[in-house]
Amino acid sequence: MDIQLSKQFRHVDTAKEAAKIIGNCVHCGFCNATCPTYQLLGDEADGPRGRIYLIKQLLEKGSATTQTRVHLDRCLLCRACETTCPSGVEYGHLLEAGRSILEQVNPRATLNTLRRKSVAKALVQKNLIKGLSGTANTLRPWLPESIQKQLPVRQSVDTWPAAKHARKMLVLAGCVQPALAPETNLKTALVLDQLGISLLQEDNTGCCGAVGLHTSDHEMGMRHIRERIDHWWPFIAQTTGPAIEAIIFTASGCGVTIKDYGYLLKDDKAYAEKAERISAIAKDISEVILAEIKQIKPIGQQRKIAFHPPCTLQHGLKLSGTVEKILSVADYDLLPVENSHLCCGSAGTYSLFQPKISEQLLKNKLSALQQHQPELIATANIGCQQHLKSKADVKIVHWIELL
């Protein structure tokens, strides 16, 4: 697809990068076949191809209408289109660039901006979320059932295993997960301990940068990314004792952003090399377990479960089938799930800003997941886990808890 940048963008790196990506698009439309919003709305402008044209027009004209923002905001950034695209168009990078440029040439209304920034800042405050979660637990009997389902029920009696193994890895604590799903990283540490790997906890937790990037607050997102790099680097460049083997994440949504650090900071002289190194050693927990799969033991009873692979796991990280293989070795009976490539509607902060579309996607996803009456549903991302919990008829867990 040919594109001629407007004069104002000819020397803007973000615009030049976007133009390069657009140039790879052959406008075949295969992407629309797997796009959740196009499937629901049937509007060309609400599919990847249409959005690429809208960004192209923005870059060529140097301006855009409010309707352009409506269509770009409706994108879930699930990247299912990337899995389908025969030309390798990096749509995720393009959309984030397009949204960033649109914010500059056509700023949002003040109230809209304040709402998005408030949500973003609240989500990265771990102690705030923990406090709100505690208060909500106290008020549990009077809260709607959908909210009750999303609250943590209990704290585990298990303790974090001591770092006694030669092999060591560091785990991302995250923002929301410690408050709403405290079991996930603890269970991960216990499983890895049995596999001869010590999992280290962060002593200075913080956001990976995903929240800022998802809410078009590029400045906040990049600040959080640099903070994570500064915090993690001493573990990597350790001079006394063995350095960590990997940085692992149990939330695939965070993982996609961390794996992108090298790309996002490629032009930052102070951080480019460190960011590239971190992206290289960052691993989803499923990658670590898969490498040790010969040590995985059957659970002793074949339980019927449905697995929901988050978009960030299958389309963003390209790890489709990894968790399913591990659970099969552990002797779980994985039930078939129709349209497993489609998004559940969580998509980071999407469910907060696009509730109507999000609710319909959730309804469709739960119908598919519960069709064959599973004992429970497993997933691999805190956002999906909480979103599914709100309306599911069965228990929702992170898959690592099943090991």
Side-chain angles (χ1 to χ4, degrees), residues 80-303:
C81 55
E82 290 190 11
T83 299
T84 312
C85 180
S87 303
V89 174
E90 295 179 319
Y91 175 82
H93 290 159
L94 174 62
L95 188 82
E96 289 188 344
R99 284 175 171 174
S100 177
I101 292 169
L102 182 58
E103 291 293 326
Q104 298 170 33
V105 302
N106 187 6
R108 294 175 187 273
T110 302
L111 288 178
N112 190 329
T113 300
L114 286 175
R115 183 185 174 220
R116 294 175 74 87
K117 285 185 176 292
S118 298
V119 168
K121 288 182 179 179
L123 286 175
V124 301
Q125 300 298 322
K126 185 186 71 172
N127 291 334
L128 173 62
I129 295 173
K130 192 172 183 179
L132 290 174
S133 175
T135 301
N137 251 322
T138 303
L139 301 174
R140 183 188 290 269
W142 298 278
L143 294 175
E145 185 181 359
S146 61
I147 296 179
Q148 290 185 36
K149 288 181 177 181
Q150 297 183 66
L151 297 175
V153 177
R154 62 180 179 81
Q155 294 290 332
S156 173
V157 296
D158 296 315
T159 56
W160 198 280
K164 59 181 179 291
H165 303 292
R167 297 182 64 189
K168 291 181 172 58
M169 298 181 182
L170 179 69
V171 64
L172 168 74
C175 310
V176 177
Q177 187 166 283
L180 298 182
E183 300 290 300
T184 303
N185 280 354
L186 174 58
K187 296 299 184 184
T188 300
L190 293 169
V191 170
L192 290 183
D193 185 57
Q194 294 299 313
L195 300 178
I197 301 171
S198 290
L199 191 61
L200 308 181
Q201 299 184 75
E202 291 189 270
D203 57 359
N204 181 19
T205 61
C207 180
C208 67
V211 173
L213 297 180
H214 289 167
T215 53
S216 301
D217 192 336
H218 188 76
E219 183 180 346
M220 183 179 87
M222 296 306 291
R223 184 175 71 251
H224 287 154
I225 288 172
R226 292 185 177 95
E227 287 173 356
R228 289 297 88 213
I229 293 173
D230 288 340
H231 174 59
W232 290 337
W233 195 249
F235 290 93
I236 299 169
Q238 196 166 323
T239 55
T240 58
I244 58 168
E245 184 178 325
I247 295 171
I248 70 167
F249 42 86
T250 54
S252 58
C254 299
V256 168
T257 298
I258 297 170
K259 294 294 285 184
D260 243 5
Y261 279 11
Y263 172 83
L264 292 167
L265 289 168
K266 63 183 183 301
D267 298 320
D268 188 320
K269 292 181 180 179
Y271 283 90
E273 187 176 342
K274 293 179 180 179
E276 188 64 37
R277 173 63 177 155
I278 285 173
S279 290
I281 68 169
K283 295 180 182 296
D284 183 78
I285 181 58
S286 66
E287 296 178 88
V288 179
I289 301 296
L290 186 65
E292 310 296 327
I293 199 164
K294 290 182 179 180
Q295 297 188 61
I296 300 300
K297 300 176 182 178
I299 58 168
Q301 53 177 330
Q302 199 172 51
R303 301 181 66 188

